[in-house]
Amino acid sequence: MAYGRLDVFWPDGKFETFALDEATVSVGRSSGNTLMLDTDTISRYHITLVRDQGQTLLTDLDSINGTFIDGVRVKSNTPLPLNGGEEIQIGYLRLLYYTLDETPTVQMPVTSEDTARIEKETPTFKIDLQEPQIAVAPGSYTSAELNITNISDTPQTFSVQISGLPEGWSRVNRPFLELDPKENALVLINIKPLRRSDSAPGEYIPRATVSVHEKPDEKIEVPFRVMILPYSGFGMALAARRIGVQERFKLYVHNQGSGPLPLYIVGQDARKQLQFNIKPSQITLSPGQRMQIQGEIKPLRGQLFGGMQEYPFDLVVKSMDNAHFSASIRGHLLYRPTFPLWLAGLATLAVLALFAVVFLGLASLLTRTPTPEIQSFLVNQGIQEVRGALEITWEVENAEEISVRVNDLILLSGVDPEQGEAQINTGDLSGEARVELIAVNGDQQVTQTRTVTIIAPIAIVQFEVTPSTLYRHVTQSLTINYNAPTAIEVQLTGLAGVAPNPFLPLTANNGSIALVILPSNNFSLTLTAIDASGESVQQVLNVSLLEARCSAIGTNVNLYQAPDLTSNVISTLSAGGEIVANGRTPTSDWIRTTLNGVDVWGASANFTCLGFEVSALRDVALPPLRTTPIAPPLTVVPTLNLTPLPTPTIDPSGL
């Protein structure tokens, strides 16, 4: 019974699939391997795949050129688990590992042909695309199946390209293929969103474009749906684990996931001897956002006499989303009493003398129920503006229980007066609020009222750019959408070197900015939102660029030393060969690319570019015309887009 599948992609476009059904599968160029792959760029015995207790383990056998999983080189002779969907690079070969479940008792769900299959046809070919059947979270993978059928009477060469997804999310196992008349071929579109906080969840509509090289105008574009799920990740740290009474603690929290994360922060101590003042105590972190939370911690009852004391405490962060997780971190509060211990004896004698004087007077009062007395009542330490939960402290005398009413609604009741503090979640309340403390003793009660203003915490609820596909060295339009509802000031940075005017004033806390950019490198945009109290949050948006790729039309397309048909021919592209364009002439008649470190030129009429017009490429200065060839002509054949790797070393010894 097969537990997995290994797809092997060769540089010339050949594709092979191997079922994995043996407990140990060795891969290398020697005939002694389970899978022998005939290429000198891999070792005689390169890797093994071992199935152990339901887990597939890959081990690099100390190979010369190494083994790379998803672009990262693995350590030799160290087994690594595979989960499915990994891209394995050995030498010039690209391998994809898939898990299989052939358990006969498991009933597979029937897919809906009406919603998951798309068919289109031209006079010479037709396609049939099966959409991905499952939603995936970043780090996992799914795939779409594309069937291409040549219905013409002549052989045809097809190219398959995917657009509309962020860079690095999609791979096509056969981007170029040649089909004989009436021949059918299957192309796999693998989709694996990167496990990063900017991998936004939601429905994506990428497009698969199938075109005929012999007839570049004959093509089919098929939009299909991919659902990306959010993933969760959270981190927290204390700047200092030990603080004094006069110091403010600094708690750093980080949303490492891809969706908004609402959090509630509280302080706890097992001995109930501390009071906490945390600002803010209720926040929402945007994907990838970091924030610093500050607060004060004090003993509920200060001591006049004694030595240094240490109070352990925990800061607890609770999520208010569907996960409902809790995370805590421990710290210690250092407290030194005002006077040394030897003064305690003198104070005790004074207290006893005073007690003897007033004892007789108090005895008469004990025969009746005393009236409760509120000696102090503070909401958030007397600060008028409150963010998140209400933090209430009190000192009362002659009370059996405490209740709290907010805007005529009882939110807390039956509390022991000795507790001295409480936290109340304000929920959706905002604006002015009346907070009333009620002290009860028998049939007697007294109240005190405080008025505060509840402010929603500062947050960035939207920060995105459209379109999602941007190209290097291409002039293109970009729209930035943002929304920070409670901000009074919004700042945007990161456009230096990308847009003609990198300093864009944002006059509202939400809106859209349209501009024209000419980017050369990946860049990051930072949005800073500031509210009326000076609190601020930041969100960083990383923008990745695709290479500006153009494909050769027809056969034997020449690349010249200069944009002139009389200059030296440096290289020749076969049909469907790709170049990475980095410029054009002022008249857009020629496209520039770089081969082996040398700038070369091709006539624009011989190329078709994906996603942009030649005139949108950057205008570059023309080089001086040279007549001496600088390199013998080369022939460039279409290749797969491989993960960049170090140049493999041929193993001449055969070891």
Side-chain angles (χ1 to χ4, degrees), residues 101-124:
D101 184 2
E102 297 184 354
T103 306
T105 59
V106 177
Q107 182 178 0
M108 300 302 292
V110 178
T111 60
S112 172
E113 295 293 335
D114 294 336
T115 59
R117 186 174 296 278
I118 305 170
E119 297 181 358
K120 287 191 175 184
E121 185 173 334
T122 73
T124 61

Side-chain angles (χ1 to χ4, degrees), residues 213-216 551-557 574-577 604-608:
H213 280 295
E214 295 82 1
K215 303 175 182 178
S551 300
I553 302 172
T555 59
N556 298 329
V557 175
S574 59
S604 302
N606 295 327
F607 290 90
T608 178

Side-chain angles (χ1 to χ4, degrees), residues 351-380:
V351 171
L352 290 175
L354 180 62
F355 179 78
V357 172
V358 301
F359 176 76
L360 294 177
L362 292 176
S364 62
L365 298 177
L366 297 177
T367 59
R368 62 184 180 87
T369 302
T371 301
E373 179 183 352
I374 300 176
Q375 297 177 331
S376 70
F377 171 39
L378 291 177
V379 179
N380 287 67

